[in-house]
Amino acid sequence: QVQLVESGGGSVQAGGSLRLSCAASQSAPRWNCMSWFRQAPGKEREGVAGVSSATGHTYYADSVKGRFTISRDNVKNTLYLQMDSLKPEDSAVYSCAANGPCGSGSWTRYDHYTYRGQGTQVTVSS
């Protein structure tokens, strides 16, 4: 069973940066999409960013475009999310997911991902 473990969360002031990591317990070169999701208290989970294993194409939520960057290191079996210019509304539990559907209309379907991590808390203060 593949495990995904997130790290890098924490507390930061608005305008600051954080880099999240998601380490997979084993390599899976045939995984489809790997993505980051977030969920704030009282809100629905939303897709933040995704990357296609096959093409390298990236997907971003409109709310994070230009501020967040998703990347993947296939040698280290690790997914990253560089978050810059953070805002208080970015505060949430961030989790990664692997082997999900790619495509502009599909990558945000959290329940369609085979593997999901437990999440890491990100808190942005004003």
Side-chain angles (χ1 to χ4, degrees), residues 19-84:
R19 188 194 195 202
L20 304 184
S21 299
C22 170
S25 59
Q26 59 185 262
S27 62
R30 295 185 179 182
W31 279 348
N32 200 0
C33 250
M34 290 190 74
S35 298
W36 287 96
F37 291 82
R38 69 184 181 187
Q39 188 168 23
K43 295 187 177 181
E44 292 187 356
R45 183 180 289 107
E46 64 172 338
V48 177
V51 58
S52 167
S53 301
T55 66
H57 188 81
T58 56
Y59 306 89
Y60 293 97
D62 288 342
S63 58
V64 307
K65 281 181 182 177
R67 300 189 298 121
F68 291 11
T69 304
I70 189 171
S71 61
R72 178 177 175 178
D73 186 329
N74 291 330
V75 175
K76 295 182 178 180
N77 302 326
T78 302
L79 182 72
Y80 301 100
L81 184 68
Q82 177 66 41
M83 305 186 295
D84 299 318

Side-chain angles (χ1 to χ4, degrees), residues 68-123:
F68 291 11
T69 304
I70 189 171
S71 61
R72 178 177 175 178
D73 186 329
N74 291 330
V75 175
K76 295 182 178 180
N77 302 326
T78 302
L79 182 72
Y80 301 100
L81 184 68
Q82 177 66 41
M83 305 186 295
D84 299 318
S85 301
L86 282 161
K87 304 175 181 180
E89 51 263 42
D90 294 319
S91 297
V93 174
Y94 285 71
S95 59
C96 62
N99 199 30
C102 278
S104 58
S106 304
W107 71 273
T108 59
R109 297 176 182 174
Y110 182 76
D111 290 344
H112 289 221
Y113 284 74
T114 306
Y115 309 109
R116 288 164 266 179
Q118 293 298 312
T120 183
Q121 176 71 47
V122 171
T123 302

